[in-house]
């Protein structure tokens, strides 16, 4: 990072790779929005609904997260425990939402 960036409020860079076709689609959406590219991408990413996909890999990741939360609850006390409980509540809300959706809705979302 250059010395000029150290006093900037937004001094971190985030990069990702995309195919030329995806870049074209992104550029078209940015142009249609009328926003600067950085602002458009941040708004798109940060204000989307987070959903958990189902499948073996995701369920393995879910079980690992649940184990981490359990260990955190066992090893913390007071205010830290409240923070972990908030994470647990969020995770359980997502699980409940997934269990209420019919399977065909999830397939449509993946397409």
């Amino acid at each position: 990072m250059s010395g000029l960036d150290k006093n900037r409020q937004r001094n971190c860079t985030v990069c990702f790779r995309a195919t030329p076709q995806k870049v074209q689609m992104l550029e078209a959406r940015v142009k249609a929005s009328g926003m600067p590219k950085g602002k458009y991408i941040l708004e798109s990413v940060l204000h989307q609904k987070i959903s958990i996909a189902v499948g073996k890999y995701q369920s393995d990741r879910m079980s690992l997260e649940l184990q981490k939360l359990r260990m955190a609850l066992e090893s913390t006390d007071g205010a830290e425990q409240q923070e972990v409980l908030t994470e647990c509540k969020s995770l359980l809300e997502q699980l409940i939402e997934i269990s209420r959706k019919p399977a065909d809705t999830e397939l449509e979302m993946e397409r």
Side-chain angles (χ1 to χ4, degrees), residues 14-70:
V14 178
C15 300
F16 60 93
R17 295 187 183 278
T19 64
Q21 295 81 12
K22 297 287 184 184
V23 171
Q24 252 183 343
M25 291 171 59
L26 177 62
E27 295 289 342
R29 288 175 175 235
V30 168
K31 196 173 200 177
S33 74
M35 297 188 324
K37 188 187 292 186
K39 184 174 181 177
Y40 174 82
I41 292 172
L42 283 173
E43 293 292 319
S44 297
V45 171
L46 296 177
H47 294 106
Q48 274 191 6
K49 180 181 173 186
I50 297 173
S51 62
I52 301 171
V54 294
K56 172 134 179 55
Y57 177 71
Q58 287 82 7
S59 60
D60 288 347
R61 286 180 47 208
M62 176 92 55
S63 66
L64 288 174
E65 287 301 316
L66 288 171
Q67 286 175 357
K68 286 180 194 175
L69 288 172
R70 182 185 53 111

Side-chain angles (χ1 to χ4, degrees), residues 5 12-13 18 25 35 39 45 49 77 79 84 86 95 105:
D5 286 343
C12 297
T13 302
M25 291 171 59
M35 297 188 324
K39 184 174 181 177
V45 171
K49 180 181 173 186
D77 59 345
V84 175
T86 303
L95 285 170
T105 305

